[in-house]
C-alpha cells in the first residue's frame, strides 16, 4: 500500500459541518476536513505531519477467496454471455454465408446441366408501391411441367424478394424485365429439407410439400435471427408484393396475399401490421397443408429472438412456367 | 491462474503445449454445442410442428 504524506495533499476547501459519518471523528481547525478513522484501525491522531498508511483492516483468507472467486465467476459469465450473443448473431451468419456461396455455385451447375435452353425473358408491371399489376399478366396454359427434387441437404432453388432491397437500392417500377427486378433484392439459396442441419445453410423446403412452381402449397422454412437470418424481414411484406423463386424449370413469380383471403381460420387478431403475414403457434401445421392452385408458404419464428410462435406468409403463383397450368391442374 | 494450470500439465514444454491446445479446442467445441442448444430458444428455424 503506498504511503501518503498528508502534508503534500493540501488543504480541503470543503466546509466542515461536523457530520461525516462512520468511525471516530476529531476536532480540527476551522476549514479543515477531519479524517474519518475506519473502525478497527489504530487512531494515529490528527497530526498533519504524520504519514498515514491508509491500510484497511485485514480480511480473513476465506473471505478473500470467496470475494475473488465470486468476482471472477461473474466476469467469466459476462464474457460467456457476450460470446453467446456474438456467436448467435454473427458467428452463425458467417457459417451460413459460406454455405450460401457454395450453394449458389452448385445451383448454377445444376441449372446449366438440366436446362436445355436459356430461360425466356419475363416482364412484370410494378406499381409505385411495389405491388405487381396482375391485370396485365398472361400466364401460359398447358400441361404442368414437372421436375425432380435434389437429395435432402442439396441446393434446390433461389428465392428473391424484390421489395426487400439490399443496401437501400430502389425498386424498379413500371414495366420491368424480371431480370432487372431481381438486381439489388434480398436473395437466398433454398435447400432441400427442413431439418436443423439443413436450415443452418439457409431456408429449407418442406420435403412433404410440392416443389416451388408446382401445383399445391410449396412451403419453405427459414431462420429469422440466426444463420444469416434469411427470413428476418418477412414482416415487411405486404399483399401484392412479389416473391420470385427460381428452380430448374424457370422463374416462378408469386404475389403475397392477405392470409384472411386464403385461410378461413385466420382472424384479424392474427394478422400483422402490413397485412401480409399472420401469426400462429408452432403446432399449426395446417399452414403447410395442401391448397388448390399454386401457392408458396413461408414460415419463420416470431417474435424476434424467440421461437415461441410462427410468422407465416402466403403467396399465390401468378407467372412462370406453370402459372396457368396450376389453375387447371389443381392442388389439394 | 492459467499459468499455474499450464505448469501443472505433465511432460516437457512441447507436450504441454500440445495438450493445452487439445484441451482448449475441446472446450471450444463444448462451448459451441452449448451455444447451439441455447440458441434454439431464440430461433429454431421456424419449422411447423
Amino acid at each position: 500500500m503506498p504511503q501518503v504524506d498528508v502534508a503534500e495533499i493540501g488543504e480541503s476547501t470543503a466546509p466542515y459541518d461536523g457530520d461525516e459519518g462512520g468511525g471516530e471523528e476529531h476536532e480540527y481547525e476551522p476549514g479543515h476536513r477531519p479524517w474519518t478513522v475506519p473502525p478497527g484501525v489504530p487512531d494515529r491522531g490528527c497530526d498533519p505531519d504524520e504519514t498515514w498508511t491508509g491500510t484497511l483492516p485485514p480480511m480473513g483468507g476465506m473471505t478473500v477467496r470467496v470475494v475473488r472467486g465470486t468476482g471472477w465467476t461473474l466476469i467469466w459469465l459476462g464474457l460467456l454471455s457476450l460470446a453467446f450473443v456474438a456467436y448467435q448473431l454473427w458467428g452463425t451468419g458467417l457459417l451460413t454465408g459460406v454455405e450460401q456461396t457454395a450453394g449458389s455455385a452448385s445451383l448454377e451447375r445444376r441449372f446449366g446441366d438440366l436446362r436445355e435452353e436459356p430461360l425466356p425473358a419475363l416482364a412484370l408491371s410494378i406499381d409505385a408501391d411495389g405491388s405487381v399489376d396482375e391485370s396485365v399478366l398472361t400466364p401460359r396454359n398447358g400441361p404442368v411441367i414437372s421436375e425432380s427434387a435434389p437429395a435432402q441437404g442439396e441446393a434446390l432453388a433461389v428465392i428473391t424478394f424484390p421489395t426487400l432491397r439490399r443496401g437501400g437500392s430502389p425498386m424498379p417500377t413500371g414495366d420491368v424485365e424480371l431480370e432487372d427486378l431481381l438486381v439489388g433484392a434480398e436473395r437466398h439459396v433454398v435447400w432441400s429439407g427442413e431439418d436443423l442441419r439443413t436450415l443452418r445453410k439457409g431456408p429449407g423446403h418442406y420435403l412433404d410439400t410440392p416443389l416451388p412452381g408446382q401445383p399445391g402449397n410449396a412451403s419453405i422454412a427459414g431462420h429469422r435471427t440466426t444463420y444469416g437470418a434469411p427470413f428476418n424481414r418477412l414482416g415487411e411484406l405486404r399483399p401484392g408484393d412479389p416473391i420470385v423463386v427460381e428452380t430448374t424449370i424457370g422463374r416462378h413469380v408469386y404475389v403475397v396475399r392477405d392470409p384472411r383471403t386464403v385461410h378461413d381460420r385466420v382472424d384479424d387478431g392474427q394478422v400483422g401490421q402490413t397485412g401480409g403475414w399472420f401469426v400462429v403457434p408452432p403446432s399449426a401445421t395446417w399452414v403447410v397443408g395442401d391448397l388448390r392452385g399454386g401457392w408458396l408458404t413461408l414460415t419463420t419464428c416470431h417474435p424476434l429472438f424467440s421461437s415461441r410462435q410462427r410468422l407465416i406468409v402466403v403467396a399465390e403463383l401468378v407467372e412462370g412456367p406453370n402459372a396457368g397450368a396450376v389453375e387447371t391442374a389443381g392442388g389439394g | 491462474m492459467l499459468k499455474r494450470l499450464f505448469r501443472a500439465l505433465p511432460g516437457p514444454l512441447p507436450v504441454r503445449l500440445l495438450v493445452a491446445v487439445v484441451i482448449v479446442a475441446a472446450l471450444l467445441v463444448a462451448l459451441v454445442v452449448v451455444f447451439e442448444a441455447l440458441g434454439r430458444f431464440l430461433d429454431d428455424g421456424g419449422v411447423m410442428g
Side-chain angles (χ1 to χ4, degrees):
Chain A
M1 180 71 73
Q3 304 226 329
V4 177
D5 188 347
V6 170
E8 292 179 357
I9 290 178
E11 297 177 3
S12 166
T13 56
Y16 171 45
D17 58 10
D19 185 23
E20 291 292 331
E24 299 178 55
E25 293 188 6
H26 301 262
E27 290 197 12
Y28 293 87
E29 293 179 5
H32 286 260
R33 178 185 290 273
W35 292 104
T36 303
V37 182
V41 175
D43 183 12
R44 291 177 154 277
C46 58
D47 185 352
D49 292 329
E50 186 174 327
T51 302
W52 178 56
T53 62
T55 53
L56 291 172
M59 287 194 288
M62 179 57 72
T63 308
V64 168
R65 274 202 290 271
V66 168
V67 170
R68 184 182 296 145
T70 304
W72 275 112
T73 300
L74 290 174
I75 288 172
W76 275 106
L77 282 177
L79 288 173
L80 284 174
S81 300
L82 284 174
F84 172 70
V85 171
Y87 174 76
Q88 290 298 326
L89 296 185
W90 295 295
T92 56
L94 290 175
L95 298 172
T96 303
V98 170
E99 295 286 357
Q100 284 284 305
T101 302
S104 198
S106 163
L107 269 181
E108 272 193 46
R109 283 194 299 274
R110 178 181 165 85
F111 291 165
D113 291 344
L114 296 177
R115 284 175 183 165
E116 292 174 355
E117 52 194 30
L119 294 180
L122 196 58
L124 295 177
S125 179
I126 305 294
D127 294 335
D129 63 354
S131 58
V132 175
D133 181 359
E134 296 179 56
S135 64
V136 301
L137 292 175
T138 52
R140 180 194 76 86
N141 284 316
V144 171
I145 304 171
S146 61
E147 60 177 307
S148 58
Q152 184 171 354
E154 291 189 8
L156 165 70
V158 177
I159 187 168
T160 310
F161 301 93
T163 53
L164 304 181
R165 313 301 294 175
R166 283 182 171 165
S169 59
M171 179 177 176
T173 55
D175 293 329
V176 185
E177 290 291 328
L178 186 56
E179 196 77 40
D180 297 330
L181 192 63
L182 302 181
V183 174
E186 276 225 3
R187 173 188 183 276
H188 306 281
V189 172
V190 178
W191 303 82
S192 182
E194 75 273 25
D195 55 291
L196 282 177
R197 176 178 283 188
T198 301
L199 288 176
R200 286 190 192 132
K201 301 194 281 189
H205 168 248
Y206 286 83
L207 292 177
D208 291 341
T209 68
L211 292 177
Q214 301 295 316
N217 183 16
S219 301
I220 300 174
H223 282 285
R224 193 161 182 206
T225 52
T226 58
Y227 292 101
F231 285 179
N232 179 263
R233 298 175 65 187
L234 284 195
E236 296 177 31
L237 293 173
R238 300 163 301 174
D241 285 354
I243 301 174
V244 180
V245 183
E246 181 177 352
T247 66
T248 308
I249 64 170
R251 291 191 178 123
H252 314 282
V253 180
Y254 290 86
V255 169
V256 175
R257 295 296 186 216
D258 183 324
R260 288 164 290 195
T261 64
V262 182
H263 296 292
D264 292 334
R265 58 178 86 184
V266 175
D267 60 48
D268 294 347
Q270 293 173 271
V271 178
Q273 203 174 1
T274 63
W277 52 273
F278 64 106
V279 176
V280 292
S283 57
T285 52
W286 53 265
V287 302
V288 297
D290 216 352
L291 291 170
R292 191 169 181 82
W295 296 90
L296 177 70
T297 294
L298 306 179
T299 72
T300 192
C301 288
H302 184 78
L304 271 178
F305 304 112
S306 169
S307 54
R308 195 161 38 91
Q309 296 174 301
R310 297 291 181 262
L311 183 151
I312 313 294
V313 169
V314 186
E316 186 173 13
L317 183 64
V318 298
E319 187 58 271
N322 285 332
V326 296
E327 290 297 325
T328 51
Chain B
M1 183 183 81
L2 289 175
K3 277 187 187 170
R4 200 166 56 237
L5 288 172
F6 182 74
R7 282 193 222 109
L9 291 173
L13 182 61
V15 171
R16 276 192 270 160
L17 275 172
L18 186 64
V19 171
V21 166
V22 168
I23 290 173
V24 167
L27 285 174
L28 282 175
V29 168
L31 198 62
V32 167
V33 168
V34 169
F35 281 177
E36 287 280 322
L38 286 175
R40 276 183 223 128
F41 288 105
L42 300 180
D43 185 352
D44 61 5
V47 178
M48 303 307 300

